[in-house]
Coordinates of all heavy atoms in Angstrom, one line a residue:
M1 N 26.1 145.1 227.4 CA 25.5 145.0 226.0 C 26.7 145.4 225.0 O 27.4 146.4 225.3 CB 24.4 146.0 225.8 CG 24.0 146.2 224.4 SD 22.7 147.4 224.2 CE 21.7 146.6 223.0
T2 N 26.8 144.6 224.0 CA 27.7 145.0 222.9 C 27.0 146.1 222.1 O 25.9 146.5 222.4 CB 28.1 143.8 222.0 OG1 26.9 143.3 221.5 CG2 28.8 142.7 222.8
E3 N 27.7 146.6 221.1 CA 27.1 147.8 220.4 C 25.8 147.4 219.7 O 24.9 148.2 219.6 CB 28.2 148.3 219.5 CG 29.3 149.0 220.2 CD 30.4 149.5 219.3 OE1 30.7 148.9 218.2 OE2 30.9 150.5 219.7
V4 N 25.8 146.2 219.0 CA 24.6 145.8 218.3 C 24.4 144.3 218.7 O 25.3 143.5 218.6 CB 24.7 145.9 216.8 CG1 23.5 145.4 216.1 CG2 25.1 147.3 216.4
E5 N 23.2 144.0 219.2 CA 22.9 142.6 219.6 C 21.6 142.2 218.9 O 20.7 142.9 218.5 CB 22.6 142.5 221.1 CG 23.8 142.8 222.0 CD 23.5 142.6 223.4 OE1 22.4 142.4 223.8 OE2 24.5 142.7 224.2
R6 N 21.6 140.9 218.7 CA 20.4 140.2 218.0 C 19.4 139.9 219.1 O 19.7 139.4 220.2 CB 20.8 139.0 217.3 CG 19.9 138.4 216.3 CD 19.8 139.4 215.1 NE 18.6 139.0 214.3 CZ 18.7 138.3 213.2 NH1 19.9 137.9 212.7 NH2 17.7 138.1 212.4
D7 N 18.2 140.2 218.9 CA 17.1 139.9 219.8 C 15.9 139.3 219.0 O 15.1 140.0 218.5 CB 16.5 141.2 220.5 CG 15.5 141.0 221.5 OD1 15.3 139.8 221.9 OD2 14.8 141.9 221.9
G8 N 16.1 138.0 218.8 CA 15.1 137.3 217.9 C 15.3 137.7 216.5 O 16.4 137.7 216.0
A9 N 14.3 138.2 215.9 CA 14.4 138.7 214.5 C 14.9 140.1 214.4 O 15.1 140.7 213.4 CB 13.1 138.5 213.8
D10 N 15.0 140.8 215.6 CA 15.3 142.2 215.7 C 16.7 142.4 216.1 O 17.4 141.5 216.5 CB 14.4 142.9 216.6 CG 12.9 142.8 216.2 OD1 12.6 142.9 215.0 OD2 12.1 142.7 217.1
F11 N 17.2 143.7 216.0 CA 18.5 144.1 216.5 C 18.3 145.2 217.5 O 17.4 146.0 217.4 CB 19.3 144.7 215.4 CG 19.7 143.7 214.4 CD1 19.0 143.4 213.2 CD2 20.9 142.9 214.5 CE1 19.3 142.4 212.3 CE2 21.3 141.9 213.6 CZ 20.4 141.7 212.5
V12 N 19.1 145.2 218.5 CA 19.2 146.2 219.6 C 20.5 146.9 219.5 O 21.6 146.3 219.5 CB 19.0 145.6 221.0 CG1 19.0 146.7 222.0 CG2 17.7 144.8 221.0
V13 N 20.4 148.2 219.3 CA 21.6 149.1 219.1 C 21.9 149.9 220.4 O 20.9 150.5 220.9 CB 21.5 150.0 217.9 CG1 22.8 150.9 217.7 CG2 21.3 149.1 216.6
S14 N 23.1 149.9 220.9 CA 23.3 150.6 222.1 C 23.2 152.1 221.9 O 23.6 152.7 220.9 CB 24.6 150.3 222.7 OG 25.7 150.9 221.9
A15 N 22.7 152.8 223.0 CA 22.6 154.3 223.0 C 24.0 154.8 222.9 O 24.2 155.9 222.3 CB 21.9 154.7 224.2
A16 N 25.0 154.1 223.4 CA 26.4 154.7 223.4 C 26.9 154.7 221.9 O 27.6 155.7 221.5 CB 27.3 153.8 224.2
L17 N 26.6 153.7 221.2 CA 27.0 153.7 219.7 C 26.3 154.8 219.0 O 26.9 155.5 218.2 CB 26.6 152.3 219.1 CG 27.0 152.2 217.6 CD1 28.5 152.3 217.4 CD2 26.5 150.8 217.1
L18 N 25.0 155.0 219.2 CA 24.3 156.1 218.5 C 24.8 157.4 219.0 O 24.9 158.4 218.1 CB 22.8 155.9 218.7 CG 22.2 154.7 218.1 CD1 20.8 154.5 218.5 CD2 22.4 154.7 216.6
A19 N 25.1 157.6 220.2 CA 25.6 158.9 220.8 C 26.9 159.2 220.1 O 27.1 160.4 219.6 CB 25.8 158.8 222.3
H20 N 27.7 158.2 219.9 CA 29.0 158.4 219.2 C 28.8 158.8 217.7 O 29.4 159.8 217.2 CB 29.9 157.2 219.3 CG 31.2 157.3 218.6 ND1 32.3 158.1 219.1 CD2 31.6 156.8 217.4 CE1 33.2 158.1 218.2 NE2 32.9 157.3 217.1
A21 N 27.9 158.1 217.1 CA 27.6 158.3 215.7 C 27.1 159.7 215.4 O 27.3 160.3 214.4 CB 26.6 157.3 215.2
F22 N 26.2 160.2 216.3 CA 25.5 161.5 216.2 C 26.2 162.6 217.0 O 25.7 163.7 217.0 CB 24.1 161.4 216.5 CG 23.2 160.7 215.5 CD1 22.8 159.4 215.7 CD2 22.9 161.3 214.3 CE1 22.1 158.7 214.8 CE2 22.2 160.6 213.3 CZ 21.8 159.3 213.6
E23 N 27.4 162.3 217.6 CA 28.2 163.3 218.4 C 27.3 164.0 219.4 O 27.3 165.2 219.5 CB 28.9 164.3 217.4 CG 29.8 163.5 216.4 CD 30.4 164.5 215.4 OE1 29.9 165.6 215.3 OE2 31.5 164.1 214.9
T24 N 26.7 163.2 220.2 CA 25.8 163.7 221.3 C 25.9 162.8 222.4 O 26.8 161.9 222.5 CB 24.4 163.9 220.8 OG1 23.7 164.6 221.8 CG2 23.7 162.6 220.5
T25 N 25.1 163.0 223.5 CA 25.2 162.2 224.7 C 24.1 161.1 224.6 O 23.1 161.1 223.8 CB 24.9 163.0 225.9 OG1 23.5 163.5 225.8 CG2 25.8 164.2 226.1
E26 N 24.3 160.0 225.4 CA 23.4 158.9 225.5 C 22.0 159.4 225.9 O 21.0 159.0 225.5 CB 23.9 157.8 226.4 CG 25.1 157.1 225.8 CD 25.6 156.0 226.8 OE1 24.8 155.2 227.3 OE2 26.8 156.0 227.0
D27 N 22.0 160.4 226.9 CA 20.7 160.9 227.4 C 20.0 161.6 226.3 O 18.8 161.4 226.2 CB 21.0 161.8 228.5 CG 21.3 161.2 229.8 OD1 21.1 160.0 230.0 OD2 21.9 161.8 230.7
R28 N 20.7 162.3 225.4 CA 20.0 163.0 224.3 C 19.5 162.0 223.3 O 18.4 162.1 222.7 CB 20.9 164.0 223.6 CG 21.1 165.2 224.5 CD 21.8 166.3 223.8 NE 21.8 167.5 224.6 CZ 22.7 168.5 224.4 NH1 23.6 168.4 223.4 NH2 22.7 169.5 225.2
I29 N 20.2 160.9 223.1 CA 19.7 159.8 222.2 C 18.5 159.2 222.8 O 17.5 159.0 222.0 CB 20.9 158.8 222.0 CG1 22.0 159.3 221.1 CG2 20.3 157.5 221.3 CD1 21.6 159.7 219.7
R30 N 18.4 158.9 224.0 CA 17.3 158.3 224.6 C 16.1 159.2 224.5 O 15.0 158.8 224.3 CB 17.6 157.9 226.0 CG 18.5 156.7 226.2 CD 18.7 156.3 227.6 NE 19.6 155.2 227.8 CZ 21.0 155.4 228.1 NH1 21.4 156.6 228.3 NH2 21.7 154.3 228.1
Q31 N 16.3 160.5 224.8 CA 15.2 161.5 224.6 C 14.7 161.6 223.2 O 13.5 161.6 222.9 CB 15.7 162.9 225.1 CG 14.6 163.9 225.0 CD 13.3 163.6 225.8 OE1 13.4 163.1 227.0 NE2 12.1 163.7 225.2
A32 N 15.6 161.5 222.2 CA 15.3 161.6 220.8 C 14.5 160.3 220.4 O 13.5 160.4 219.6 CB 16.5 161.7 219.9
M33 N 14.7 159.2 221.0 CA 14.0 158.0 220.8 C 12.6 158.1 221.3 O 11.6 157.8 220.7 CB 14.6 156.7 221.4 CG 15.9 156.3 220.7 SD 16.5 154.9 221.6 CE 18.0 154.6 220.8
R34 N 12.5 158.7 222.6 CA 11.2 158.9 223.2 C 10.3 159.9 222.4 O 9.1 159.7 222.3 CB 11.3 159.4 224.6 CG 11.7 158.3 225.6 CD 11.7 158.8 227.0 NE 12.6 159.8 227.4 CZ 13.9 159.5 227.8 NH1 14.3 158.3 227.9 NH2 14.7 160.5 228.1
D35 N 10.9 161.0 221.9 CA 10.1 162.0 221.2 C 10.0 161.8 219.7 O 9.5 162.6 218.9 CB 10.6 163.4 221.5 CG 11.9 163.8 221.0 OD1 12.4 163.2 220.1 OD2 12.6 164.7 221.6
S36 N 10.6 160.6 219.3 CA 10.5 160.2 217.8 C 11.3 161.1 216.9 O 11.0 161.1 215.7 CB 9.1 160.1 217.4 OG 8.4 159.1 218.1
S37 N 12.2 161.9 217.4 CA 13.0 162.7 216.5 C 14.2 161.9 216.0 O 14.9 162.3 215.1 CB 13.5 164.0 217.2 OG 14.4 163.7 218.3
L38 N 14.4 160.7 216.6 CA 15.4 159.7 216.1 C 14.6 158.6 215.5 O 13.8 158.0 216.3 CB 16.4 159.3 217.1 CG 17.5 158.4 216.6 CD1 18.7 158.6 217.4 CD2 17.1 156.9 216.6
T39 N 14.7 158.3 214.2 CA 14.0 157.2 213.6 C 14.9 156.2 213.0 O 16.1 156.5 212.9 CB 13.0 157.7 212.5 OG1 13.9 158.3 211.5 CG2 12.0 158.7 213.0
S40 N 14.4 155.0 212.8 CA 15.3 153.9 212.3 C 14.5 153.0 211.3 O 13.3 153.0 211.3 CB 15.8 153.1 213.4 OG 14.7 152.4 214.1
I41 N 15.3 152.4 210.5 CA 14.8 151.4 209.5 C 15.7 150.3 209.5 O 16.9 150.4 209.5 CB 14.4 152.0 208.2 CG1 13.7 151.0 207.3 CG2 15.7 152.5 207.5 CD1 13.1 151.6 206.0
C42 N 15.2 149.0 209.4 CA 16.1 147.8 209.2 C 15.7 147.2 207.9 O 14.5 146.9 207.7 CB 15.8 146.9 210.4 SG 16.7 145.3 210.3
E43 N 16.7 146.9 207.1 CA 16.5 146.3 205.8 C 17.4 145.1 205.7 O 18.6 145.1 205.9 CB 16.9 147.3 204.7 CG 16.2 148.6 204.7 CD 16.8 149.6 203.8 OE1 17.8 150.2 204.2 OE2 16.3 149.8 202.7
A44 N 16.7 143.9 205.4 CA 17.4 142.7 205.2 C 18.0 142.6 203.8 O 17.3 142.9 202.8 CB 16.4 141.5 205.5
G45 N 19.2 142.1 203.7 CA 19.8 141.9 202.4 C 19.2 140.7 201.7 O 18.7 139.8 202.3
V46 N 19.3 140.8 200.4 CA 18.8 139.7 199.5 C 19.9 139.3 198.5 O 20.8 140.0 198.3 CB 17.5 140.0 198.8 CG1 16.4 140.3 199.7 CG2 17.7 141.3 197.9
D47 N 19.7 138.1 198.0 CA 20.7 137.6 196.9 C 22.1 137.6 197.5 O 22.3 137.0 198.5 CB 20.5 138.3 195.6 CG 19.2 138.2 195.0 OD1 18.6 137.1 195.2 OD2 18.7 139.1 194.3
A48 N 23.0 138.4 196.9 CA 24.4 138.4 197.3 C 24.6 139.0 198.7 O 25.6 138.8 199.3 CB 25.2 139.2 196.3
D49 N 23.6 139.8 199.2 CA 23.7 140.4 200.5 C 22.9 139.6 201.6 O 22.7 140.1 202.7 CB 23.1 141.8 200.4 CG 24.1 142.7 199.6 OD1 25.3 142.6 199.8 OD2 23.6 143.5 198.8
A50 N 22.4 138.5 201.2 CA 21.6 137.7 202.2 C 22.5 137.4 203.4 O 23.8 137.2 203.3 CB 21.2 136.3 201.6
G51 N 22.0 137.5 204.6 CA 22.8 137.4 205.9 C 23.3 138.7 206.3 O 24.0 138.7 207.3
R52 N 23.0 139.7 205.7 CA 23.4 141.1 206.1 C 22.1 142.0 206.2 O 21.1 141.8 205.6 CB 24.3 141.7 205.1 CG 25.6 141.1 204.9 CD 26.4 141.8 203.9 NE 27.7 141.0 203.7 CZ 28.7 141.4 202.9 NH1 28.5 142.5 202.2 NH2 29.8 140.7 202.8
W53 N 22.3 142.9 207.2 CA 21.2 143.9 207.3 C 21.8 145.3 207.4 O 22.9 145.5 207.8 CB 20.5 143.7 208.7 CG 19.6 142.5 208.7 CD1 18.3 142.5 208.6 CD2 20.0 141.1 208.9 NE1 17.8 141.2 208.6 CE2 18.8 140.3 208.8 CE3 21.3 140.4 209.0 CZ2 18.9 138.9 208.9 CZ3 21.3 139.1 209.1 CH2 20.1 138.4 209.0
R54 N 20.9 146.3 206.9 CA 21.3 147.7 207.0 C 20.4 148.3 208.1 O 19.2 148.2 208.0 CB 21.0 148.4 205.7 CG 22.1 148.2 204.7 CD 22.0 149.1 203.5 NE 20.6 149.3 203.0 CZ 20.4 149.6 201.7 NH1 21.4 149.8 200.9 NH2 19.1 149.7 201.3
L55 N 21.0 148.8 209.1 CA 20.3 149.6 210.2 C 20.6 151.0 210.0 O 21.8 151.5 210.1 CB 20.8 149.1 211.5 CG 20.9 147.6 211.8 CD1 21.5 147.2 213.1 CD2 19.5 146.9 211.6
T56 N 19.6 151.8 209.6 CA 19.7 153.2 209.3 C 19.0 154.0 210.3 O 17.8 153.8 210.6 CB 19.3 153.5 207.9 OG1 19.9 152.7 206.9 CG2 19.6 155.0 207.5
F57 N 19.7 155.0 210.9 CA 19.1 155.9 211.9 C 19.2 157.3 211.4 O 20.2 157.8 210.8 CB 20.0 155.8 213.2 CG 19.8 154.4 213.8 CD1 20.8 153.4 213.4 CD2 18.9 154.1 214.8 CE1 20.7 152.2 213.9 CE2 18.8 152.9 215.3 CZ 19.7 151.9 214.9
R58 N 18.1 158.1 211.6 CA 18.0 159.5 211.1 C 17.7 160.4 212.3 O 16.9 160.0 213.1 CB 16.9 159.7 210.1 CG 17.2 158.9 208.8 CD 16.0 159.0 207.9 NE 15.6 160.4 207.6 CZ 15.6 160.9 206.4 NH1 15.9 160.2 205.4 NH2 15.2 162.2 206.2
H59 N 18.5 161.5 212.4 CA 18.3 162.4 213.5 C 18.9 163.8 213.2 O 20.1 163.8 212.8 CB 18.9 161.9 214.8 CG 18.8 162.8 216.0 ND1 17.6 163.2 216.5 CD2 19.8 163.4 216.7 CE1 17.9 164.0 217.5 NE2 19.1 164.1 217.6
A60 N 18.2 164.8 213.3 CA 18.7 166.1 213.2 C 19.5 166.4 211.9 O 20.5 167.0 211.9 CB 19.6 166.5 214.4
G61 N 18.9 166.0 210.8 CA 19.5 166.2 209.5 C 20.7 165.4 209.2 O 21.4 165.6 208.2
R62 N 20.9 164.3 209.9 CA 22.0 163.4 209.7 C 21.5 161.9 209.7 O 20.5 161.7 210.3 CB 23.1 163.5 210.8 CG 23.7 164.8 211.0 CD 24.7 165.3 209.9 NE 25.8 164.3 209.8 CZ 26.6 164.2 208.8 NH1 26.5 165.0 207.8 NH2 27.5 163.3 208.8
A63 N 22.2 161.1 209.0 CA 21.9 159.7 209.1 C 23.1 158.9 209.3 O 24.2 159.3 209.0 CB 21.3 159.2 207.7
C64 N 23.0 157.8 210.0 CA 24.0 156.8 210.3 C 23.6 155.5 209.9 O 22.5 155.1 210.3 CB 24.5 156.9 211.7 SG 25.9 155.8 212.0
R65 N 24.3 154.8 209.1 CA 23.9 153.4 208.6 C 25.0 152.4 209.1 O 26.2 152.6 208.8 CB 23.8 153.4 207.1 CG 23.5 152.0 206.6 CD 23.2 152.1 205.1 NE 21.9 152.8 204.9 CZ 21.7 153.6 203.8 NH1 22.6 153.8 202.9 NH2 20.5 154.2 203.7
F66 N 24.5 151.3 209.7 CA 25.4 150.2 210.1 C 25.0 149.0 209.2 O 23.8 148.7 209.2 CB 25.3 149.9 211.6 CG 25.5 151.1 212.5 CD1 24.4 151.7 213.0 CD2 26.8 151.4 212.8 CE1 24.6 152.8 213.9 CE2 27.0 152.5 213.7 CZ 25.9 153.2 214.2
T67 N 25.9 148.4 208.6 CA 25.7 147.1 207.9 C 26.2 146.1 208.9 O 27.4 146.1 209.4 CB 26.4 147.1 206.6 OG1 26.0 148.1 205.8 CG2 26.1 145.7 205.9
V68 N 25.3 145.1 209.2 CA 25.6 144.1 210.3 C 25.4 142.8 209.7 O 24.6 142.6 208.8 CB 24.9 144.3 211.6 CG1 25.2 145.7 212.2 CG2 23.4 144.2 211.3
D69 N 26.1 141.7 210.3 CA 25.8 140.3 210.0 C 24.7 139.8 210.9 O 24.2 140.5 211.7 CB 27.1 139.5 209.9 CG 27.7 139.4 211.3 OD1 27.1 139.7 212.3 OD2 28.9 138.9 211.3
E70 N 24.5 138.5 210.8 CA 23.4 137.8 211.6 C 23.6 137.9 213.1 O 22.7 138.0 213.8 CB 23.3 136.3 211.2 CG 22.9 136.1 209.8 CD 22.7 134.6 209.5 OE1 22.1 133.9 210.3 OE2 23.2 134.2 208.5
A71 N 24.9 138.0 213.5 CA 25.1 138.1 214.9 C 25.2 139.5 215.4 O 25.2 139.8 216.6 CB 26.5 137.5 215.2
G72 N 25.0 140.5 214.5 CA 25.1 141.9 214.9 C 26.4 142.5 214.8 O 26.7 143.7 215.2
T73 N 27.4 141.8 214.3 CA 28.7 142.3 214.1 C 28.7 143.4 213.0 O 28.1 143.2 212.0 CB 29.7 141.2 213.6 OG1 29.7 140.2 214.6 CG2 31.1 141.8 213.5
I74 N 29.2 144.6 213.4 CA 29.2 145.7 212.4 C 30.3 145.4 211.4 O 31.5 145.3 211.6 CB 29.5 147.0 213.2 CG1 28.4 147.3 214.2 CG2 29.7 148.2 212.2 CD1 28.7 148.5 215.1
L75 N 29.8 145.4 210.1 CA 30.7 145.2 209.0 C 31.1 146.5 208.4 O 32.2 146.6 207.9 CB 30.0 144.3 207.9 CG 29.4 143.0 208.4 CD1 28.6 142.4 207.3 CD2 30.6 142.2 208.8
S76 N 30.2 147.5 208.4 CA 30.6 148.8 207.9 C 29.7 149.9 208.5 O 28.6 149.6 209.0 CB 30.6 148.9 206.4 OG 29.2 148.8 205.9
T77 N 30.2 151.1 208.5 CA 29.4 152.3 209.0 C 29.6 153.4 208.1 O 30.6 153.7 207.6 CB 30.0 152.7 210.4 OG1 29.9 151.5 211.3 CG2 29.2 153.8 211.0
S78 N 28.5 154.2 207.9 CA 28.6 155.4 207.1 C 27.7 156.4 207.8 O 26.7 156.1 208.4 CB 28.1 155.1 205.7 OG 26.8 154.6 205.6
R79 N 28.1 157.7 207.6 CA 27.3 158.8 208.1 C 27.2 159.8 206.9 O 28.1 160.0 206.2 CB 28.0 159.5 209.2 CG 28.2 158.6 210.4 CD 28.9 159.3 211.5 NE 29.3 158.2 212.4 CZ 30.6 158.1 212.9 NH1 31.5 159.0 212.6 NH2 30.8 157.1 213.7
F80 N 26.0 160.4 206.8 CA 25.7 161.3 205.7 C 24.6 162.3 206.1 O 23.7 161.9 206.9 CB 25.5 160.6 204.4 CG 24.5 159.4 204.6 CD1 23.1 159.6 204.3 CD2 24.9 158.2 205.0 CE1 22.2 158.6 204.4 CE2 23.9 157.1 205.1 CZ 22.6 157.4 204.9
P81 N 24.5 163.4 205.4 CA 23.4 164.4 205.7 C 22.2 163.9 205.0 O 22.2 163.2 203.9 CB 23.9 165.7 205.1 CG 25.0 165.3 204.1 CD 25.6 164.0 204.5
V82 N 21.1 164.2 205.6 CA 19.7 163.9 204.9 C 18.8 165.1 205.1 O 19.0 165.9 205.9 CB 19.0 162.7 205.6 CG1 19.8 161.4 205.3 CG2 18.9 162.9 207.1
R83 N 17.9 165.2 204.1 CA 17.0 166.3 204.2 C 15.9 165.9 205.3 O 15.6 164.8 205.5 CB 16.3 166.5 202.9 CG 17.2 167.0 201.9 CD 16.6 167.5 200.6 NE 15.3 167.0 200.2 CZ 14.8 167.0 199.0 NH1 15.6 167.4 198.0 NH2 13.6 166.6 198.8
A84 N 15.3 167.0 205.8 CA 14.3 166.8 206.8 C 13.1 166.2 206.2 O 12.8 166.6 205.0 CB 14.0 168.1 207.5
R85 N 12.4 165.4 206.8 CA 11.2 164.7 206.3 C 10.0 165.7 206.3 O 9.9 166.4 207.3 CB 10.8 163.5 207.0 CG 11.8 162.4 206.8 CD 11.4 161.1 207.6 NE 12.4 160.2 207.5 CZ 12.3 159.0 207.0 NH1 11.2 158.6 206.4 NH2 13.3 158.1 207.0
S86 N 9.3 165.8 205.3 CA 8.1 166.7 205.3 C 7.0 166.1 206.1 O 6.7 165.0 206.2 CB 7.7 166.8 203.8 OG 6.4 167.6 203.8
S87 N 6.4 167.0 206.9 CA 5.2 166.7 207.7 C 3.9 166.8 206.9 O 2.8 166.4 207.4 CB 5.2 167.6 208.9 OG 5.0 168.9 208.6
V88 N 4.0 167.2 205.7 CA 2.8 167.3 204.8 C 2.6 166.0 204.1 O 3.5 165.4 203.5 CB 3.0 168.4 203.8 CG1 1.8 168.5 202.8 CG2 3.2 169.7 204.5
T89 N 1.4 165.5 204.1 CA 1.1 164.2 203.4 C 0.4 164.5 202.0 O -0.3 165.5 201.9 CB 0.1 163.3 204.2 OG1 -1.0 164.1 204.5 CG2 0.8 162.9 205.5
P90 N 0.8 163.8 201.0 CA 0.3 164.0 199.7 C -1.2 163.7 199.7 O -1.7 162.9 200.4 CB 1.1 163.2 198.8 CG 1.7 162.1 199.6 CD 1.8 162.7 201.0
D91 N -1.9 164.4 198.8 CA -3.4 164.1 198.6 C -3.6 162.9 197.8 O -2.9 162.5 197.0 CB -4.1 165.3 197.9 CG -4.1 166.5 198.8 OD1 -4.1 166.4 200.0 OD2 -4.0 167.7 198.2

């Protein structure tokens, strides 16, 4: 598997790429996926960004974002701190 592959309308990101991004092991990434402590969102570009997607992963107070093209080729990568999500739902 390459680092990011297209699977129909979805993308598949390798555990090795995420382990590198979060400076941990592939086994810890797989466990974080299973226990939902690693979350992700995929956003499709519009207008000038059509044909690009942002794949953002959050884990342990950090985020890693990959901008990819239709084939899954990584165009850019960024990493940044994020605040923990609140478990309290608003009324």
Side-chain angles (χ1 to χ4, degrees):
M1 167 186 221
T2 58
E3 294 179 326
V4 179
E5 291 184 356
R6 195 71 190 259
D7 182 16
D10 298 322
F11 292 93
V12 178
V13 179
S14 74
L17 179 62
L18 294 172
H20 178 73
F22 288 103
E23 299 177 342
T24 189
T25 66
E26 290 180 48
D27 286 339
R28 287 189 176 162
I29 289 296
R30 288 184 184 98
Q31 181 59 44
M33 288 178 186
R34 283 190 293 272
D35 68 23
S36 300
S37 64
L38 187 146
T39 61
S40 64
I41 187 167
C42 176
E43 302 168 282
V46 295
D47 298 330
D49 292 316
R52 294 181 183 182
W53 285 260
R54 284 193 313 207
L55 311 176
T56 306
F57 297 85
R58 294 173 59 118
H59 176 63
R62 303 284 303 163
C64 182
R65 177 174 292 147
F66 304 100
T67 302
V68 300
D69 66 11
E70 292 182 51
T73 302
I74 298 173
L75 304 173
S76 67
T77 303
S78 60
R79 296 179 197 133
F80 47 94
V82 292
R83 291 190 343 200
R85 294 183 188 240
S86 174
S87 61
V88 177
T89 56
D91 292 329

